[in-house]
Amino acid sequence: MLLSEEQISLADAARDWLARRTDLAAARADGAALAALYSADDVRAAAELGLTSLLRPAEGGTFADLAVVVEELGRAGSPLPLGQAALVARLLDQIGIGAAVSDAVAEGSALAVPAAAEPDDAAISGVPGADGTLVLASRAAVVVGGLGAAWLLVSAAIGDDRALALVPAASVTRTARTTLDLSRDIAAVDLHGVTVPAGDWTRVGADVAETLDQALAIIHTLDAVGAAGRLLDLTVGYVKEREQFGRPVGSFQAVKHHAATMAVDIEASRLCGHDAARTLDSGDLVAAGTAVAVAGSVAGEGTSRAASTALQLHGGMGFTWEHDLHLFLRRIKVDELVRGTPRRHRERLVATAG
Amino acid sequence: MEREIFEDEHRQFREVVREFIAREITPYHAQWEAEGIVDRTVFAKAAKHGVIGFNVAEEFGGGGVRDFRFNAVVAEELAAAFVTGPGFLLHNDVVGSYLSRLPDGEQKARWLPGFASGEAVWAIAMTEPGAGSDLQGIRTSAVRDGDDWLVSGAKTFITNGIHSDYVIVVARTDPSAGSRGISLLVVERDMPGFSRGRNLDKIGLHAQDTAELFFDGVRVPSRNVLGKLGGGFIHLMENLPEERLSIAISAVAGARAVFDSTLEYTKTRTAFGQPIGGFQHNRFLLAELATEIDIAQVYIDRCLKASFEEKLTTVDASKAKWWASELQQKVVDRCLQLHGGYGYMTEYPVGKAFTDARIQTIYGGTTEIMKEIIGRSLGV
Ligand SMILES: Cc1cc2nc3c(=O)[nH]c(=O)nc-3n(C[C@H](O)[C@H](O)[C@H](O)COP(=O)(O)OP(=O)(O)OC[C@H]3O[C@@H](n4cnc5c(N)ncnc54)[C@H](O)[C@@H]3O)c2cc1C
């Protein structure tokens, strides 16, 4: 069994709630990507359901649980970066800074998201300054949820050491990125010269930085799995109804096989994704590194392939703006490529195998 | 690989087209995309420079050359410049092939001068809400009334749907005759009962107008029947190969354009101290794509040769269409990955191509329908 009974009810609860809350029309509006597409009320309601505190050590939540929630966020096409926020709350608790922010996230009065360099880019660097401050340099090119968040947890390198620093989002320059994805806000964050006061940052072990990277990769994998699952449902529904040549197009063998291949791709992606989350829960970061890389390469390409087939099977309809299909197709493509492309994940596999 | 298909006259024409695009299209393209439609005067401007209308006889104001290589040059240059707005290919290649074969003398005199000068924009309306892949399923009807036909029905996804002054409408003129009861009727802009829906919002090709068209008892005179009465389906079969070839040509050229811009990116962007193109994985991937694009090009050029020799078969055009358009998807997809984490930024051509190019495997006959046609020709 992939999921426990509790996880199944968690998934059901999240799915119901997200279905009621998510307004995909907002993602289709002009300039949608230029601002966060959710309200303070949405964040509060998510917190009330426990979705932002899920990973806090005191709640006993696991990455496996988070995986369940993130899959539902993808399925809904939700703009809420709840996986990222739950991750920040956990890390803050773990490293002993920003207790008030962690509480605020858990209560839903603010959102915090991680800001880390993309895997192919140089790390964000930090230099310890006077009075225990940390002065940051460079930028985070892609911060999912970065426009709407009140706080950023910056993953920085101090020489060979790692540090996490909590930065109020309003104190840095954030630029909306125009990406394929219209359903989530994505920002570039300029951290040049940002001075983080003592107490708001700390050196961390490589394991903490690694956990953050792996968890972020898992979030994008499962987000894509959920979105692709939604596309499979939409597609199967459509090909059963759409008639050509006097019969449903879903009755043609080629179409059936396309749908079956989508299902196989998505199921394989789902298994790898949940496996990665469980392995991360085990605390064995080497094993988790492998599982995350497998998930990233299998799911990255598998979910994208499924999304492309979904569009094909919708014919001309799939190319229309009004249809929800493209919102998921776009989101899946971005999920494939952020936090490590499939190629990058394969490289990591070679490194860990080696 | 050096292409053997073009002569000097095509190479000179390419310069003209390239210059025209750089001057009259590229500077306005982003604005047209924002507006959802091109400025229609671009058709007349293009005709003035011979970019369209060259395939019409000189006596009607055209260039008098029926040689699909010129069409290919236009398709390739538009793709190379990432221009998706002006419906030149639909007007000039697709409708052009119908108008070069079917009109009688009187119709030629009436229609060709406007077509050639780009003053009149043309469209062809086959698809209906209920009939896409299955063209025999069309329900738009034309009922005889004296010397005229009364056309009723709805079409959808019609390229140049807003700008068109003339629409070749595929309609059922004899409901009892199956595929032999389908004819082509030319509906004109001001005919009462003809109306247009909105310009459909699409996920790509934002500057291209695509519309629903409605016909409510539109009175179309007999002299506007194009080709043989009841021969509509055969005319479609005769002309679809050129439409499919046109899509295949633009698909290969589009793939090449994305490839070229990605190659440039992999040469300039560095990771771990070397250009990312230098990593063997990327180098091999680029090598594979370059190979496949060249191989596709050779096949397409062979089809092009068959076309200007009037020998292009439906089956060969179908092979070209599905293979080239699927290759384009693959190239775009791989190139997105080659941009590392950044290909999905829409400021990169490859990010934009991800949505613009996606329709190529669908319109003009889907990949599945192309394989149906090819498979049936194999006797299976
Ligand atoms: C931007 C754009 C421009 C267009 N321009 C024009 C135009 O100018 N004029 C015009 O007439 N039309 C135009 N079209 C319509 C286009 O040609 C149709 O969308 C296309 O032919 C597919 O038809 P459909 O959308 O109804 O898909 P459907 O026929 O409903 O197909 C749905 C899915 O079922 C599959 N399928 C259908 N039948 C079979 C089968 N027998 N075996 C296996 N699989 C099958 C298809 O491959 C597809 O994947 C345009 C469309 C778009 C999006």
Side-chain angles (χ1 to χ4, degrees), chain A residues 121 141-142 177-180 242 244-245 258 301 308 311-312 316 319 321 326 330 333 336 338 341 343, chain B residues 129-130 132-134 157 201-203 269 281-282 333 336-337 340 342 344-347 351 355 358 361 368:
Chain A
D121 291 347
V142 183
R177 300 226 65 161
T178 45
T179 72
L180 288 170
R242 172 70 176 170
Q244 289 291 282
F245 305 97
H258 274 319
E301 286 176 358
S308 183
L311 196 153
Q312 183 71 20
F319 201 65
W321 188 260
H326 71 108
R330 294 163 179 277
K333 199 61 188 172
E336 174 191 342
V338 287
T341 61
R343 174 189 62 78
Chain B
S133 294
D134 179 16
F157 291 128
D201 267 332
K202 304 183 294 299
I203 72 170
R269 172 138 178 121
H281 174 84
N282 292 345
D333 214 63
L336 273 166
Q337 276 209 39
Y342 298 104
Y344 54 84
M345 301 289 172
T346 43
E347 62 247 33
T355 44
R358 189 61 192 83
T361 62
E368 290 72 31

Side-chain angles (χ1 to χ4, degrees), chain A residues 3-349:
Chain A
L3 302 181
S4 68
E5 299 242 328
E6 286 83 8
Q7 286 172 333
I8 291 171
S9 23
L10 176 62
D12 287 345
R15 185 180 299 195
D16 286 350
W17 182 75
L18 285 164
R20 273 182 278 118
R21 279 274 166 172
T22 312
D23 174 20
L24 289 176
R28 253 183 252 117
D30 273 352
L34 301 177
L37 294 175
Y38 52 86
S39 66
D41 191 44
D42 292 328
V43 177
R44 250 189 316 274
E48 270 168 30
L49 278 177
L51 300 181
T52 54
S53 53
L54 199 64
L55 275 180
R56 294 183 91 179
E59 305 290 328
T62 59
F63 286 108
D65 292 342
L66 183 75
V68 168
V69 172
V70 170
E71 191 179 331
E72 293 309 325
L73 290 163
R75 169 175 286 278
S78 170
L80 289 161
L82 299 179
Q84 288 85 344
L87 175 61
V88 170
R90 176 199 188 93
L91 291 169
L92 291 176
D93 290 356
Q94 194 181 333
I95 62 179
I97 63 167
V101 171
S102 181
D103 287 341
V105 170
E107 285 160 13
S109 56
L111 277 184
V113 297
E118 283 297 284
D120 275 340
D121 291 347
I124 296 164
S125 61
V127 177
D131 304 325
T133 59
L134 181 71
V135 182
L136 298 172
S138 90
R139 66 204 275 270
V142 183
V143 178
V144 175
L147 288 178
W151 296 86
L152 304 171
L153 184 62
V154 179
S155 175
I158 306 174
D160 286 339
D161 288 350
R162 308 289 316 187
L164 291 179
L166 191 59
V167 174
S171 71
V172 299
T173 307
R174 292 172 292 170
T175 316
R177 300 226 65 161
T178 45
T179 72
L180 288 170
D181 193 353
L182 305 172
S183 62
R184 289 175 291 194
D185 63 288
I186 299 181
V189 177
D190 189 357
L191 296 161
H192 272 288
V194 170
T195 303
V196 187
D200 281 354
W201 69 277
T202 181
R203 287 177 199 263
V204 298
D207 57 326
V208 174
E210 178 70 17
T211 301
L212 185 150
D213 283 344
Q214 293 188 4
L216 277 180
I218 289 172
I219 286 171
H220 286 288
T221 294
L222 283 150
D223 187 84
V225 166
R230 173 77 167 265
L231 287 180
L232 179 62
D233 292 350
L234 282 174
T235 303
V236 170
Y238 185 74
V239 300
K240 280 185 184 165
E241 269 176 22
R242 172 70 176 170
E243 292 195 7
Q244 289 291 282
F245 305 97
R247 49 195 262 205
V249 294
S251 68
F252 291 109
Q253 197 181 22
V255 172
K256 285 187 202 171
H257 279 226
H258 274 319
T261 306
M262 282 177 74
V264 171
D265 266 336
I266 296 167
E267 204 47 38
S269 303
R270 173 177 289 128
L271 287 171
C272 295
H274 284 285
D275 177 60
R278 274 196 306 261
T279 315
L280 188 55
D281 280 325
S282 78
D284 178 346
L285 282 175
V286 176
T290 303
V292 167
V294 168
S297 56
V298 170
E301 286 176 358
T303 54
S304 262
R305 212 162 31 230
S308 183
T309 306
L311 196 153
Q312 183 71 20
L313 293 183
H314 277 77
M317 276 303 292
F319 201 65
T320 57
W321 188 260
E322 278 76 17
H323 204 288
D324 290 340
L325 191 149
H326 71 108
L327 299 173
F328 294 94
L329 172 91
R330 294 163 179 277
R331 182 169 176 131
I332 289 168
K333 199 61 188 172
V334 171
D335 280 329
E336 174 191 342
L337 298 172
V338 287
R339 308 310 314 167
T341 61
R343 174 189 62 78
R344 170 85 196 180
H345 286 300
R346 284 196 201 100
E347 260 164 37
R348 282 206 53 152
L349 267 183

Side-chain angles (χ1 to χ4, degrees), chain B residues 261-337:
Chain B
S261 78
T262 304
L263 181 61
E264 194 51 38
Y265 181 88
T266 63
K267 285 178 181 170
T268 49
R269 172 138 178 121
T270 57
F272 309 106
Q274 64 165 310
I276 58 173
F279 292 101
Q280 194 176 40
H281 174 84
N282 292 345
R283 212 161 67 235
F284 277 30
L285 185 50
L286 288 162
E288 283 171 25
L289 298 178
T291 307
E292 289 186 47
I293 293 169
D294 268 1
I295 289 173
Q297 186 76 70
V298 171
Y299 182 79
I300 302 293
D301 283 355
R302 188 66 187 68
C303 289
L304 193 47
K305 182 159 182 285
S307 160
F308 68 75
E309 291 170 350
E310 298 273 353
K311 288 196 298 213
L312 180 64
T313 66
T314 298
V315 171
D316 286 345
S318 300
K319 290 176 180 168
K321 201 266 166 182
W322 86 260
W323 175 261
S325 62
E326 293 287 344
L327 174 65
Q328 185 180 18
Q329 308 310 312
K330 174 177 171 180
V331 169
V332 168
D333 214 63
R334 298 299 186 278
C335 287
L336 273 166
Q337 276 209 39

